[in-house]
């Protein structure tokens, strides 16, 4: 809701309070008049003041029972940020006039273009008011859009009846794909990328402890003999496989106002990365959890549509174990064998930083996108030659940030 709309509603409430105080004062005055003076005039004044709220209540009940509102959207399946046709109709099917009827919209996750705010409609018997415009949804998910409630005010503007619209419309919203012309976050890796991703090779740079799943041909037998335990040889360029994306699927918060914007932005980041690499015919792997670890291979644009559909249907869960999922993705050499790994996360801590630090230390280039509005300066400062940490505000556009 805009600040102007809030201010207008506050002014209306203040005026109604003033009228109620004036009415209460007049009613007390009429009661004093019949108590002290009596007579037809005093009783008539008292009867009139007493009947005003009764008449107002009957009027609002009649409007509630006879007022009709119809609305529809062009398609229930929508995409974030893309306008869709929207129509709503107010209809007076009664035999008396509606003097003051207004509507309130769902405004947390969507907005209606060119919609006059806080307008009170006056409809004569049989009158019909139509408004055709466009509606835009902000976040991925399924939620109600359009008219949320109807507000009826009585003739004397003393009382207000607000009731939920029984004919609400639910939209099923898919995440948008932000086309990126460049990845600013890997600018510092360009020299390494040209040498390592585009076919260059280097000598062995590190020998580490053997992990289950490492190819036997990579075992460094001389080093293993010296240390009396299996050691694995790493090679940049020859042994590393390509690009990997990892997305945290944990739900943060219980209210939709908390988790919907965050989840939408995280998927938007993931899809923007995927679209960027697919557009360059660069294959990549995607890791995320749906109770079990899911690995998705994408080989260029021919696989991107299927990847998009899978991510649109992906579910964020409160009980998701981020550390367990990340450990699964790193075990068996999955992420260790990648040249470049992107992490889309929300909450960074020392454990995650240490895990990604080890990954970078063993020759993998790491980019961490921290999708949050909280200050992440302390983590961003921990970027290094092979590990870049980028803070992504939840409501920001991705162009120029990624």
């Amino acid at each position: 809701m805009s600040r102007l709309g809030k201010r207008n509603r506050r002014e209306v409430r203040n005026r109604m309070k003033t009228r109620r105080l004036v009415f209460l004062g007049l009613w007390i005055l009429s009661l004093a008049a019949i108590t002290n003076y009596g007579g037809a005039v005093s009783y008539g004044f008292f009867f009139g003041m007493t009947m005003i709220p009764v008449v107002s209540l009957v009027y609002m009940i009649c409007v509630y029972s006879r007022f009709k509102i119809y609305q529809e959207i062009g398609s229930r399946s929508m995409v974030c940020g893309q306008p869709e046709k929207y129509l709503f109709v107010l209809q007076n099917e009664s035999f008396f006039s509606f003097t003051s009827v207004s509507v309130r919209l769902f405004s947390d996750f969507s907005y209606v273009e060119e919609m006059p705010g806080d307008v009170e409609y006056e409809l004569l018997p049989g009158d019909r008011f139509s408004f055709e415009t466009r509606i835009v949804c902000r976040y991925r998910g399924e939620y109600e859009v359009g008219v949320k409630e109807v507000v009826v005010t009585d003739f004397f503007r003393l009382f207000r009846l607000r009731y939920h619209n029984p004919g609400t419309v639910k939209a099923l919203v898919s995440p948008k794909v932000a086309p990126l012309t460049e990845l600013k976050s890997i600018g510092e890796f360009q020299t390494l990328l040209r040498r390592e991703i585009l076919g260059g090779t280097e000598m062995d740079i590190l020998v580490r402890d053997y992990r289950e799943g490492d190819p036997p041909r990579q075992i460094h037998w001389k080093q293993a003999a010296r240390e009396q335990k299996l050691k694995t040889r790493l090679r940049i360029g020859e042994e590393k496989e390509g690009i990997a994306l990892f997305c945290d699927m944990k739900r943060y918060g219980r209210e939709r106002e908390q988790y919907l914007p965050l989840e939408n932005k995280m998927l938007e980041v993931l899809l923007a990365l995927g679209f960027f690499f697919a557009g360059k015919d660069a294959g990549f792997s995607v890791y995320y959890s749906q109770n079990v670890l899911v690995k998705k291979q994408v080989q260029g644009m021919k696989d991107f549509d299927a990847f998009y559909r899978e991510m649109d249907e992906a579910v964020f869960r409160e009980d998701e174990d981020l550390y367990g999922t990340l450990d699964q993705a790193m075990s068996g050499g999955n992420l260790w064998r990648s040249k470049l790994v992107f992490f889309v996360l929300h909450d960074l801590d020392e454990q995650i930083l240490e895990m990604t630090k080890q990954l970078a230390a063993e020759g993998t280039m790491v980019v961490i996108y921290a999708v949050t509005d909280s200050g992440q300066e302390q983590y961003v400062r921990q970027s290094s030659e092979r590990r870049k940490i980028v803070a992504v505000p939840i409501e920001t556009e991705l162009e120029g940030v990624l």
Side-chain angles (χ1 to χ4, degrees):
M1 186 190 302
S2 66
R3 293 182 179 178
L4 181 60
K6 291 182 178 179
R7 186 176 63 185
N8 290 340
R9 294 184 188 181
R10 186 164 54 248
E11 291 175 354
V12 170
R13 287 195 295 268
N14 291 336
R15 287 197 296 267
M16 291 190 69
K17 288 180 181 178
T18 301
R19 292 191 185 96
R20 291 169 186 168
L21 290 174
V22 172
F23 169 78
L24 180 60
L26 291 175
W27 184 83
I28 293 174
L29 182 62
S30 69
L31 183 62
I34 63 172
T35 303
N36 296 311
Y37 302 103
V41 175
S42 298
Y43 277 99
F45 181 41
F46 173 77
F47 179 77
M49 295 303 299
T50 302
M51 289 301 297
I52 285 177
V54 177
V55 173
S56 297
L57 179 61
V58 172
Y59 166 77
M60 289 190 292
I61 292 175
C62 291
V63 173
Y64 171 80
S65 61
R66 301 293 297 173
F67 178 75
K68 301 296 181 183
I69 181 168
Y70 307 96
Q71 60 177 342
E72 62 180 28
I73 55 177
S75 173
R76 182 173 175 268
S77 299
M78 304 174 65
V79 176
C80 292
Q82 293 188 7
E84 189 65 53
K85 290 182 179 179
Y86 175 67
L87 169 70
F88 84 90
V89 178
L90 307 179
Q91 180 76 38
N92 183 355
E93 298 181 352
S94 184
F95 55 86
F96 60 93
S97 299
F98 297 163
T99 184
S100 180
V101 178
S102 58
V103 296
R104 301 285 186 265
L105 303 176
F106 289 100
S107 58
D108 292 332
F109 309 133
S110 64
Y111 65 91
V112 176
E113 294 181 344
E114 302 176 357
M115 178 72 178
D118 296 322
V119 174
E120 292 187 347
Y121 303 95
E122 296 185 1
L123 301 174
L124 296 174
D127 271 1
R128 174 188 177 95
F129 176 82
S130 301
F131 192 84
E132 187 171 356
T133 180
R134 300 192 303 177
I135 191 169
V136 180
C137 290
R138 294 186 175 96
Y139 309 121
R140 171 253 196 186
E142 184 177 12
Y143 45 84
E144 295 173 313
V145 298
V147 177
K148 176 181 181 180
E149 58 187 12
V150 179
V151 181
V152 180
T153 307
D154 68 302
F155 282 99
F156 303 101
R157 296 188 176 275
L158 295 173
F159 309 105
R160 176 165 290 181
L161 174 65
R162 178 178 301 175
Y163 66 94
H164 187 75
N165 177 26
T168 56
V169 176
K170 274 193 174 182
L172 185 61
V173 188
S174 300
K176 73 176 182 180
V177 179
L180 303 176
T181 56
E182 63 174 349
L183 279 183
K184 179 181 176 182
S185 55
I186 61 173
E188 300 172 7
F189 294 158
Q190 290 304 312
T191 301
L192 292 171
L193 286 172
R194 282 194 294 269
R195 182 172 69 247
E196 297 171 8
I197 291 185
L198 300 181
T201 61
E202 289 184 337
M203 296 177 62
D204 293 347
I205 64 166
L206 190 67
V207 175
R208 60 165 169 82
D209 290 343
Y210 175 82
R211 293 189 181 91
E212 183 180 355
D214 287 344
R217 62 189 175 86
Q218 289 183 226
I219 296 177
H220 196 296
W221 295 107
K222 289 183 179 180
Q223 189 70 22
R226 283 194 294 267
E227 298 188 20
Q228 295 299 306
K229 60 180 178 180
L230 291 178
K231 307 293 288 189
T232 296
R233 176 192 299 112
L234 292 184
R235 217 176 254 283
I236 296 179
E238 289 182 347
E239 303 296 340
K240 291 187 176 293
E241 297 176 348
I243 301 168
L245 313 179
F246 178 91
C247 186
D248 177 12
M249 301 301 290
K250 182 177 178 61
R251 170 157 291 174
Y252 296 89
R254 294 182 177 273
E255 302 296 328
R256 290 196 301 176
E257 291 77 6
Q258 293 177 305
Y259 64 74
L260 270 186
L262 172 61
E263 293 172 7
N264 175 75
K265 184 57 65 177
M266 294 182 73
L267 287 182
E268 189 179 330
V269 171
L270 184 64
L271 290 171
L273 293 172
F275 189 75
F276 177 81
F277 289 116
K280 296 183 178 300
D281 289 326
F284 58 92
S285 302
V286 183
Y287 297 87
Y288 63 99
S289 175
Q290 295 291 276
N291 284 330
V292 296
L293 179 66
V294 178
K295 179 181 179 181
K296 174 71 177 179
Q297 293 289 139
V298 181
Q299 299 295 331
M301 291 302 296
K302 62 184 179 65
D303 295 333
F304 184 79
D305 286 344
F307 166 59
Y308 177 85
R309 288 193 298 270
E310 286 191 23
M311 299 318 303
D312 185 23
E313 297 172 358
V315 178
F316 290 77
R317 292 181 169 86
E318 292 184 25
D319 59 352
E320 162 64 13
D321 179 11
L322 170 60
Y323 306 108
T325 302
L326 187 55
D327 185 64
Q328 282 185 299
M330 296 180 73
S331 66
N334 286 324
L335 295 183
W336 298 100
R337 289 193 293 268
S338 299
K339 298 183 180 77
L340 179 59
V341 179
F342 292 87
F343 292 91
V344 183
L345 308 172
H346 170 58
D347 190 23
L348 301 185
D349 58 25
E350 294 301 328
Q351 183 174 349
I352 291 177
L353 289 174
E354 182 60 29
M355 295 173 77
T356 56
K357 182 180 179 180
Q358 293 176 9
L359 196 62
E362 297 194 11
T364 297
M365 289 171 285
V366 176
V367 180
I368 302 174
Y369 294 113
V371 183
T372 178
D373 287 331
S374 302
Q376 297 289 330
E377 292 79 7
Q378 59 177 329
Y379 298 126
V380 173
R381 288 196 297 268
Q382 297 188 46
S383 296
S384 62
E385 181 184 10
R386 284 187 171 272
R387 187 182 67 176
K388 181 71 175 292
I389 304 176
V390 181
V392 182
I394 294 176
E395 297 295 344
T396 192
E397 293 295 329
L398 298 182
E399 184 69 35
V401 175
L402 301 191

